[in-house]
Amino acid sequence: TEESFEIVSSEKFEPLQVSDLLDSSAVASHPAIQSLYQGAKIAAETKEVQKAQNMPDFTFGYVNQSLIGFHTVNGQEKYFDAGNRFNSVNVGIAIPLFSATKAKMKALDYEKQAAEANAIQQQKVLMARLQNGINQYKQELQEFNYYEQQALPNANNIVAAAQLGYKTGEISYVEYLYA
């Protein structure tokens, strides 16, 4: 770039402060966990749908129509206009012959239980990952505090002592670079 730029650094670096996030309700409300619990709800609703399909089905229908034009009735051509209406009623009952068996219903129960168990397991895994992340953060924060409070002041003292020793002639240039 042709423009001048300046890198601005803060005077003192402050690490991110993380409060104790180990809240089981926060983990339970995670979208991935909610998705797994939704799978369990879907399995339960599938069972209800299967139960409903085993019930008889009742139908009722009513038709009102007109057939305009010439039509053959009892071997004779007869003209029907819009004023001639034909009505019919349909009533029916459908009884399923092949319904879901008890084994299929039990399989749907097991599917729901498996989905719930998977959700609980994933919730525990997510909680463990969160715990590990917080522990790692705390360890790295301790290292940061060590470097900030002990290592950097010691390094500054060593550099200052090396500069003083080089200026007074007590150490050579190689010893100064080494320090």
Side-chain angles (χ1 to χ4, degrees), residues 39-79:
K41 288 179 185 176
I42 289 171
E45 294 301 319
T46 302
K47 181 181 176 185
E48 294 302 317
V49 167
Q50 198 65 43
K51 280 182 184 178
Q53 287 178 344
N54 292 339
M55 302 299 287
D57 190 21
F58 299 98
T59 58
F60 177 78
Y62 172 73
V63 178
N64 182 354
Q65 70 181 33
S66 61
L67 302 173
I68 299 174
F70 289 98
H71 296 283
T72 306
V73 178
N74 296 330
Q76 294 181 350
E77 288 286 318
K78 189 173 179 185
Y79 179 78

Side-chain angles (χ1 to χ4, degrees), residues 5-171:
F5 63 92
E6 184 179 328
I7 298 175
V8 179
S9 63
S10 65
E11 294 295 321
K12 181 173 168 86
F13 175 76
E14 289 294 326
L16 179 66
Q17 295 299 317
V18 178
S19 62
D20 199 15
L21 295 175
L22 293 177
D23 184 14
S24 60
S25 65
V27 173
S29 65
H30 189 276
I33 303 301
Q34 290 297 316
S35 172
L36 293 171
Y37 278 115
Q38 188 67 28
K41 288 179 185 176
I42 289 171
E45 294 301 319
T46 302
K47 181 181 176 185
E48 294 302 317
V49 167
Q50 198 65 43
K51 280 182 184 178
Q53 287 178 344
N54 292 339
M55 302 299 287
D57 190 21
F58 299 98
T59 58
F60 177 78
Y62 172 73
V63 178
N64 182 354
Q65 70 181 33
S66 61
L67 302 173
I68 299 174
F70 289 98
H71 296 283
T72 306
V73 178
N74 296 330
Q76 294 181 350
E77 288 286 318
K78 189 173 179 185
Y79 179 78
F80 293 98
D81 61 6
N84 296 4
R85 306 294 296 174
F86 298 93
N87 302 312
S88 65
V89 175
N90 295 322
V91 177
I93 183 169
I95 300 172
L97 296 176
F98 303 104
S99 63
T101 62
K102 288 182 182 180
K104 191 170 188 178
M105 298 300 243
K106 193 167 250 184
L108 291 170
D109 277 337
Y110 289 145
E111 184 179 332
K112 177 186 174 226
Q113 291 172 3
E116 287 174 348
N118 186 27
I120 291 169
Q121 175 63 26
Q122 290 302 317
Q123 188 172 346
K124 288 179 182 178
V125 166
L126 190 61
M127 189 72 172
R129 285 182 182 174
L130 179 61
Q131 176 67 46
N132 290 341
I134 288 176
N135 289 341
Q136 182 178 356
Y137 168 78
K138 287 178 181 178
Q139 180 182 358
E140 290 176 1
L141 184 62
Q142 286 176 348
E143 289 177 22
F144 171 79
N145 289 333
Y146 164 76
Y147 282 114
E148 186 180 53
Q149 296 167 3
Q150 292 179 0
L152 285 177
N154 287 344
N156 289 336
N157 291 339
I158 291 170
V159 169
Q163 287 175 343
L164 182 64
Y166 180 68
K167 284 182 183 178
T168 60
E170 291 181 22
I171 61 173

